[in-house]
Amino acid sequence: MVHTARGRLRIYLGAAPGVGKTYAMLAEAHRRTGRGADVVVGFVETHGRARTAALLDGLETVPRRTATHRGAEFTELDLDAVLARDPAVALVDELAHTNVPGSRNAKRWQDVEELLAAGIDVVSTVNIQHLESLGDVVEGITGVRQRETVPDEVVRRAEQIELVDMSPQGLRRRLAHGNVYAPEKVDAALAHYFRPGNLTALRELALLWTADRVDEYLQRYRAEQGIQGTWQARERIVVGLTGGPEGATLIRRAARIAARNSAGELLAVHISRSDGLSGSSPRALIEQRALVESLGGSFHPVLGDDPAAGLLDFARGVNATQIVIGTSRRKVWQYVYGPGVGYTVTRDSGDIDVHMVNHEHAARGRGRIPIRRVTDLGRTRTVAGWVIGVAGPPLLALALTRTGGPGLSTEMLLFLSLTVGAALVGGLFPAIASALVSSSALNYYFAPPVHTFTIAQPENIAAVVIFAAVGIAVATVVDLAARRSHLAARAQAEAQTLSALAGTVLRGAPSGEGVLTALLEQVRETFQQEAVALLERTDPPGPHGRWQAAAAVGPRPPAGPEQGDVDVPVGERLALVLRGRVLPAGDRRMLGAFANQAAVLLERRRLAGEAAAARREAEGNRIRTALLAAVSHDLRTPLAGIKAAVSSLRAEDVEWDPEDEAELLAGIESGADRLDHLINNLLDMSRLQTGTVTPLLQPTDLDEVVPFALGGVPPGSVRLDVAESLPMVRADAGLLERVLANLVENAVKYGPSQSPVLVKADLLERDGRVELRVVDRGPGVPEEARERIFAPFQRYGDAPRGAGVGLGLAVARGFAEAMGGTVTAEDTPGGGLTMVVSLPAVELPAAEPPAAGLPAAEPPVVEPPAAEPPDRAPRSPDEGSPDKRKAGPA
């Protein structure tokens, strides 16, 4: 069966042993088998329960693996057997189980991860007490510390989590009837771990944990579908804080409301004005935030000029079911400024319940009451609008009275234009004020009788009233258009930002390297923040949890959510934290998109790292397999020859003449040399694979190294063309010997015997490198196969196994790259293959000019090294002594 995707994980979660997780898993296996699915039992522990064991009938079971530890035998999941069987679905019981020491994986959930990676669906079981994040909680309930745990992320990644529930009384009855443990263990279990209180607490813990996972799925679905309305699937209590003295009372009342529902969630929100002018006390807000967090809630600062709208936007954004606010601290006369936040929130809350909490500071005054701003025009424009609307009409009336005035109709148009100008600059309220002041000025200065508010002619009364109505209507329309324009511009900016976000992610590398940092930089620029950090919790969630930065940009990035001005949680272990300024409630929706995308990029980067590690592991496994194959096949022939020759020489019933004895000894020597060559190459390749090759780079003369590299080839099979005038190269002499020896012996082996191999060296002055060319006239290699011949255990064509294990060229390239050089293959003009070794040249200081009157110094005469005797081999790359060894064949 060929799998193209990762397998899916289904988990049966229980509150305690004996609730029926394994039974439910086996029943599901029978259902799938009945539908034609290929299901096998990888590991199922029945614990001697007859009804559970009966469900194994009819299911294919993969035999377990037997392991011995400390003299005792244990049975474990045979991971290799299940992978080899390659079913569609595998049943693996007890996900948190610890494997016997010496197993491939320490934990069974790691075995399951391998099955999922192979595309096999897995059905498993786990108890709530085995979740890593709940270890301390379970120990506090039961007094027993669970040593076998599974990371929460493993369980949360399951596609399906099904809770197997049972009442404490029912579980105790099942235990008493002997359906869970053996009879001799029942009394102790009922008296200790299975007490009613323990089971009730564990059951509640399992229900709450499952509810949290369901809520995560619900939030993800609402975000994907763009659902803005409230779904009252879970109680979320939002308490609105002003920073006033009543905050502690509201928080405690909201906490009591949340506590009535065990799954209730408490969120506190403070709406700050965008201009920074606020009557709230920073110290009071810090204390209230600490109080909220101590009660298990979370604190969220939000920017907004309309507190009521900001509070409702936040509540709808988090799918809140109830809002808690305090009764107003305004005095009665201060309601002239507007109906107040409490009335507005109650009126516009829709299906969200609103609790108005009374407190001792109610109706005692708030001091300065900021005027509600309908549009986000800025403080300067608002003040300018009020100046135009209030001071403009009297100034216009004064100017018109001194010039005599052009007539009532023209004067009304001038005042109307002033009202429109006030609406354009300052918004609705300055325009309404301008209309009222302008109508009064028209009545007093220009409607007969003048200088009184009495109007003599009825048509003038109608004109003034119509003017006021038209002014207010025009001001309303202009203000509405300004608001719609503002919303449209904001929507366009959000669309452009999200488009840029998508482009950044799509253009990023698959591994996510650099893209995550670029995304955080985009968040910082978009929301005008000083620093942004994606934080990850390094230990189980809790009030004392530690955070570490998965990625951060900007100076002094926040190290925890409490150090930022805005924090957006992503699941239980991630949070996007911004430091610089608080954001409006409307921006948090777009910021949530950034946060989710950052989490996806982080996960992608980790998956890419895991994939790279898996590729390296697979390559290592391939190399190890090939090494074993080389040892088992290619080394067997010379060993067999040596064994046969030695046995023949030691035979007492045969007398060998000197020629035959010499031939047998030569065969032994040849076989030993071949073994030496093969083992050297195998060791060199293992060193390259493990990265333990450390070259000693120093100036090296080619004319001293190249002749030593030819000790393993027949005399007359190589022709040298290495000029003495070439500069030194920066290389390790021992490694360079091995590189050249392998290349030359490979060329001699495949080239025709009548055409010697040419070893030539040239200086590339422009590149500052020296090229060594090993030229043969053999059959050559096609262009598409030239890179493949450098791979380990590759032999081009149909070379027999006796020709080596295919490591010579791989070792040569590996050693050359370790020295900063390269090895490439080219066509030989006229036929054949040329191996090119490129190494950096050493820059020697220029010779000083001779002194005046003295002849130039004669260049020193360098005697070429004597021809190497036949029994001399090249130096080993990791040896600095004069000892020599032959280079291995390719």
Side-chain angles (χ1 to χ4, degrees):
M1 183 181 297
V2 178
H3 301 282
T4 60
R6 179 180 172 86
R8 295 169 296 180
L9 176 62
R10 177 169 183 166
I11 291 179
Y12 287 93
L13 176 69
V19 296
K21 304 180 300 300
T22 305
Y23 191 92
M25 179 180 68
L26 292 172
E28 173 65 16
H30 279 283
R31 284 193 293 270
R32 296 196 184 194
T33 302
R35 295 195 299 265
D38 182 18
V39 181
V40 301
V41 176
F43 187 98
V44 167
E45 185 59 69
T46 63
H47 296 288
R49 300 164 191 166
R51 295 182 59 191
T52 303
L55 284 180
L56 288 172
D57 295 338
L59 297 176
E60 178 185 350
T61 301
V62 176
R64 301 184 184 184
R65 175 179 58 88
T66 302
T68 303
H69 178 60
R70 294 182 179 178
E73 287 193 350
F74 301 88
T75 58
E76 296 285 359
L77 168 69
D78 194 337
L79 178 59
D80 292 327
V82 177
L83 290 172
R85 170 61 177 78
D86 194 22
V89 184
L91 307 185
V92 182
D93 206 2
E94 297 183 354
L95 188 64
H97 172 75
T98 301
N99 292 330
V100 173
S103 302
R104 185 159 77 193
N105 295 312
K107 295 286 188 176
R108 184 167 292 164
W109 63 264
Q110 295 171 322
D111 295 337
V112 169
E113 286 293 314
E114 288 198 33
L115 295 175
L116 296 173
I120 301 173
D121 294 346
V122 177
V123 184
S124 187
T125 64
V126 70
N127 282 327
I128 192 67
Q129 66 264 28
H130 294 299
L131 294 180
E132 196 172 72
S133 65
L134 300 177
D136 295 337
V137 179
V138 172
E139 184 179 10
I141 295 172
T142 64
V144 178
R145 181 68 179 183
Q146 298 294 331
R147 297 184 179 181
E148 292 186 331
T149 60
V150 59
D152 289 40
E153 290 83 2
V154 175
V155 181
R156 280 203 299 267
R157 285 199 299 265
E159 184 169 324
Q160 296 183 55
I161 301 176
E162 183 171 333
L163 179 65
V164 181
D165 188 32
M166 174 175 283
S167 68
Q169 294 78 11
L171 181 56
R172 284 173 59 84
R173 283 196 300 271
R174 177 179 290 182
L175 189 71
H177 293 159
N179 296 329
V180 179
Y181 291 146
E184 63 272 11
K185 299 181 180 179
V186 170
D187 292 338
L190 289 173
H192 295 91
Y193 193 88
F194 287 82
R195 293 196 301 267
N198 288 359
L199 296 178
T200 301
L202 292 174
R203 185 190 188 194
E204 182 181 19
L205 200 61
L207 290 170
L208 290 177
W209 194 91
T210 307
D212 286 338
R213 304 291 76 74
V214 174
D215 189 67
E216 288 179 6
Y217 300 148
L218 176 62
Q219 295 298 331
R220 189 181 309 131
Y221 175 81
R222 284 168 50 85
E224 292 172 353
Q225 302 298 321
I227 299 173
Q228 299 295 329
T230 301
W231 287 7
Q232 298 185 6
R234 180 177 182 177
E235 291 294 337
R236 280 192 177 85
I237 318 301
V238 171
V239 53
L241 302 177
T242 64
E246 76 281 2
T249 302
L250 301 183
I251 293 170
R252 291 189 177 94
R253 181 59 182 273
R256 288 197 297 272
I257 296 174
R260 294 173 187 169
N261 189 322
S262 59
E265 186 176 353
L266 175 63
L267 302 94
V269 58
H270 171 68
I271 311 295
S272 303
R273 290 181 56 180
S274 60
D275 55 14
L277 300 176
S278 175
S280 59
S281 167
R283 180 171 182 176
L285 287 175
I286 293 175
E287 294 175 352
Q288 290 170 12
R289 177 171 188 160
L291 177 60
V292 169
E293 293 177 349
S294 67
L295 294 174
S298 57
F299 184 89
H300 304 271
V302 174
L303 199 65
D305 294 314
D306 186 350
L311 179 60
L312 289 173
D313 286 345
F314 179 84
R316 294 191 181 100
V318 299
N319 198 28
T321 57
Q322 302 183 57
I323 296 176
V324 176
I325 54 177
T327 54
S328 178
R329 285 183 282 125
R330 291 181 176 184
K331 294 184 178 181
V332 175
W333 64 268
Q334 290 177 321
Y335 281 94
V336 70
Y337 295 107
V341 174
Y343 173 81
T344 306
V345 170
T346 305
R347 181 193 63 196
D348 300 335
S349 62
D351 53 0
I352 303 177
D353 298 335
V354 179
H355 299 267
M356 295 281 292
V357 179
N358 198 9
H359 52 87
E360 59 180 347
H361 303 283
R364 293 192 176 184
R366 296 178 53 192
R368 178 181 61 83
I369 305 298
I371 297 176
R372 178 178 178 232
R373 293 165 57 189
V374 179
T375 58
D376 188 16
L377 299 176
R379 188 173 184 82
T380 302
R381 288 188 59 180
T382 303
V383 172
W386 279 103
V387 170
I388 295 173
V390 176
L395 294 176
L396 178 60
L398 181 62
L400 292 176
T401 54
R402 292 195 174 184
T403 59
L408 183 60
S409 59
T410 303
E411 292 161 351
M412 293 180 66
L413 289 176
L414 291 174
F415 278 101
L416 183 60
S417 63
L418 198 64
T419 300
V420 173
L424 290 173
V425 175
L428 179 61
F429 289 151
I432 293 176
S434 176
L436 296 176
V437 175
S438 297
S439 62
S440 301
L442 282 172
N443 183 11
Y444 188 81
Y445 289 103
F446 304 104
V450 297
H451 302 299
T452 66
F453 287 101
T454 303
I455 302 176
Q457 299 178 1
E459 61 270 18
N460 290 339
I461 296 176
V464 172
V465 172
I466 291 173
F467 169 82
V470 170
I472 293 174
V474 169
T476 303
V477 172
V478 171
D479 180 75
L480 180 61
R483 281 190 288 168
R484 295 288 173 83
S485 176
H486 174 73
L487 292 176
R490 181 182 181 86
Q492 182 181 8
E494 288 186 2
Q496 291 176 349
T497 301
L498 293 176
S499 176
L501 167 64
T504 299
V505 175
L506 291 176
R507 290 190 299 269
S511 65
E513 293 293 343
V515 184
L516 182 57
T517 302
L519 177 65
L520 296 186
E521 184 64 35
Q522 187 176 357
V523 172
R524 189 168 74 97
E525 294 176 358
T526 301
F527 297 100
Q528 300 177 358
Q529 300 290 325
E530 294 181 11
V532 179
L534 181 64
L535 302 179
E536 183 177 16
R537 194 183 294 274
T538 58
D539 52 0
H544 304 293
R546 295 189 303 273
W547 297 85
Q548 70 175 7
V553 295
R556 298 181 296 106
E562 68 282 354
Q563 298 182 11
D565 296 301
V566 181
D567 64 280
V568 179
V570 187
E572 293 184 357
R573 290 185 173 269
L574 289 176
L576 184 65
V577 184
L578 290 70
R579 182 178 58 78
R581 66 186 185 93
V582 294
L583 295 177
D587 286 346
R588 295 183 68 90
R589 177 171 56 87
M590 187 167 61
L591 186 60
F594 276 95
N596 290 328
Q597 196 59 57
V600 169
L601 287 177
L602 180 62
E603 183 66 18
R604 182 192 299 179
R605 186 173 70 181
R606 289 178 175 169
L607 290 176
E610 293 175 1
R615 285 194 297 270
R616 289 193 298 270
E617 182 67 22
E619 179 64 18
N621 289 335
R622 191 182 71 83
I623 294 295
R624 284 190 290 271
T625 301
L627 284 171
L628 291 175
V631 171
S632 61
H633 294 284
D634 295 279
L635 300 186
R636 182 178 298 170
T637 301
L639 283 174
I642 294 172
K643 173 69 173 175
V646 172
S647 299
S648 299
L649 290 174
R650 295 188 62 187
E652 298 179 354
D653 55 345
V654 179
E655 292 185 4
W656 301 96
D657 57 35
E659 292 181 359
D660 292 337
E661 184 175 344
E663 183 178 353
L664 289 173
L665 291 174
I668 293 173
E669 183 180 14
S670 174
D673 288 342
R674 183 175 166 193
L675 283 176
D676 183 58
H677 299 163
L678 294 175
I679 292 173
N680 283 340
N681 274 339
L682 290 172
L683 292 175
D684 291 339
M685 180 52 58
S686 65
R687 292 171 60 209
L688 288 171
Q689 289 290 327
T690 57
T692 57
V693 176
T694 306
L696 178 61
L697 300 180
Q698 56 188 358
T700 304
D701 278 322
L702 290 179
D703 57 356
E704 293 182 359
V705 175
V706 174
F708 292 160
L710 309 181
V713 297
S717 59
V718 178
R719 182 165 58 89
L720 293 181
D721 185 6
V722 180
E724 298 178 2
S725 59
L726 286 175
M728 294 183 177
V729 295
R730 186 171 299 279
D732 183 300
L735 294 184
L736 182 56
E737 267 186 34
R738 295 299 301 276
V739 171
L740 294 176
N742 283 5
L743 296 180
V744 170
E745 291 189 5
N746 190 74
V748 169
K749 179 175 62 179
Y750 285 100
S753 57
Q754 66 274 16
S755 298
V757 173
L758 173 64
V759 178
K760 182 180 180 181
D762 297 302
L763 172 64
L764 303 180
E765 296 184 1
R766 183 182 61 183
D767 299 331
R769 300 179 75 85
V770 173
E771 282 190 351
L772 272 164
R773 294 176 172 269
V774 180
V775 185
D776 68 59
R777 294 292 180 177
V781 177
E783 184 176 357
E784 63 273 9
R786 288 177 192 161
E787 282 301 312
R788 201 161 58 244
I789 62 177
F790 289 102
F793 303 101
Q794 294 292 323
R795 290 186 294 250
Y796 181 68
D798 296 324
R801 291 194 177 276
V805 293
L807 288 176
L809 295 182
V811 170
R813 171 172 279 188
F815 283 170
E817 292 177 348
M819 295 185 292
T822 60
V823 176
T824 56
E826 299 178 356
D827 280 330
T828 300
L833 186 68
T834 298
M835 292 291 183
V836 182
V837 182
S838 177
L839 294 168
V842 176
E843 295 183 3
L844 297 178
E848 297 183 1
L854 295 178
E858 292 291 333
V861 177
V862 180
E863 294 292 338
E868 183 155 56
D871 58 345
R872 187 175 184 186
R875 182 170 33 182
S876 174
D878 53 349
E879 294 177 0
S881 63
D883 295 339
K884 312 296 179 187
R885 292 189 303 179
K886 287 186 179 180

